[in-house]
Amino acid sequence: MKASNPILALLVLLIFTSGVHAAQMFRFDLQSLAYMSTAVIEGDVTDAQTVHWVDKLTIKITKVYAGDYKTGDTAVVGLSAYAKVGKDAQATEKFGTGDHLVLFIEPVTQQSWRDDAVPYWPVASGLKLIVDGKVTGVEQTSNPGAYENTVDEGNAADYPQKVADAVKWAAEFHKAIKEKKNDSKWLLEQLLTAA
């Protein structure tokens, strides 16, 4: 009986420590990003600062897909744990002045960010970079580690329609879920089609 105690201890140790490491942050599809966002904007970074370890970007908006902003407005968006692939495969840079971004944003929750005049941040993985007619999305390949723009999301010419379609779907789904929140059959059907 004593011989099984070390094995039992090892099993218990493996079970309880298997979840100790940090999980990777999620990368969501366009529909999910649109659903989670309060605004979806596209524009150019005109100013970038680092304030208390937060990259504070000012965006001159060139297109509004969802939300209360207007084309020509500026938005301030904070980034934490986002990095742009650098010229060297092993290097990363901060997103900054001159970058053209599509952002799926929501209001920040930390008071410290609000105190630093950073009202919005991207929903998880809600940043797309457009360079040379190509769109790259972000993913986290290891944790700890940043979201990096390593996901090829296609041609920039086609991308606005994809974002617009996702925003339309999200608006319709928000409306449907509000109307049918007590319809368990409909909710189950939505879960099954999403799986």
Side-chain angles (χ1 to χ4, degrees), residues 11 23 27 66 71 77 86 122 146 152 164 175 180 185 195:
L11 285 173
R27 182 172 68 87
T71 300
V77 178
D152 181 357
K175 182 179 178 190
K180 300 181 180 195
K185 182 180 176 191

Side-chain angles (χ1 to χ4, degrees), residues 47-115:
D47 186 51
Q49 307 170 26
T50 301
V51 181
H52 296 121
W53 301 283
V54 173
D55 297 330
K56 181 179 176 180
L57 306 180
T58 301
I59 315 294
K60 180 75 168 179
I61 299 172
T62 58
K63 187 167 184 65
V64 177
Y65 296 95
D68 295 331
Y69 283 110
K70 305 285 184 250
T71 300
D73 286 351
T74 58
V76 174
V77 178
L79 300 182
S80 176
Y82 283 81
K84 181 170 57 171
V85 175
K87 293 176 180 63
D88 179 328
Q90 301 300 317
T92 60
E93 304 170 356
K94 293 182 177 194
F95 289 94
T97 304
D99 286 338
H100 189 80
L101 305 175
V102 176
L103 293 160
F104 297 79
I105 58 176
E106 65 180 346
V108 300
T109 56
Q110 286 106 326
Q111 186 60 47
S112 61
W113 286 42
R114 289 188 205 120
D115 293 344

